[in-house]
Amino acid sequence: MTFEEAISLFERIKNQVVGAPVKGRLIESLFIGPTNWDEMHIFMNICLQKGEDEAISEFLGKSFSVYGKSVTYINPDLPKWDVTVLDDWEKTIYN
């Protein structure tokens, strides 16, 4: 989906998803990133080095997805972050 479509989906589902268990994970927050997972590290590096706006502008024209972020702790000091693609969230809950 385009970045604008991803923003629209993000806004529509954020109140339903944040705090809800999805695929066995409690979603703590949402973020928008590239659909191509192989490009995610490039996107994240640009976010860290130049800011999110710069990363988004460099990826405009490519496909974006909405992700839910959750964390579990392997031990008290070691978090394990998981992400879940939420692009089909509305189809899942309404069918």
Side-chain angles (χ1 to χ4, degrees), residues 9-23 25-31 66-70 83-94:
L9 177 62
F10 181 102
E11 291 299 323
R12 284 194 314 269
I13 70 172
K14 67 182 178 185
N15 292 331
Q16 298 171 334
V17 177
V18 174
V22 177
K23 297 181 182 178
R25 300 177 178 137
L26 185 65
I27 303 299
E28 296 183 7
S29 62
L30 303 178
F31 73 96
V66 177
Y67 296 94
K69 187 169 41 173
S70 59
V83 295
T84 304
V85 179
L86 298 172
D87 293 352
D88 292 331
W89 170 256
E90 290 171 315
K91 289 179 192 172
T92 302
I93 64 168
Y94 294 122

Side-chain angles (χ1 to χ4, degrees), residues 13-53:
I13 70 172
K14 67 182 178 185
N15 292 331
Q16 298 171 334
V17 177
V18 174
V22 177
K23 297 181 182 178
R25 300 177 178 137
L26 185 65
I27 303 299
E28 296 183 7
S29 62
L30 303 178
F31 73 96
I32 296 172
T35 300
N36 181 339
W37 191 253
D38 292 335
E39 294 180 336
M40 184 63 80
H41 71 283
I42 297 166
F43 182 83
M44 293 301 209
N45 281 332
I46 296 170
C47 283
L48 290 171
Q49 294 172 6
K50 299 178 183 178
E52 186 176 16
D53 290 340

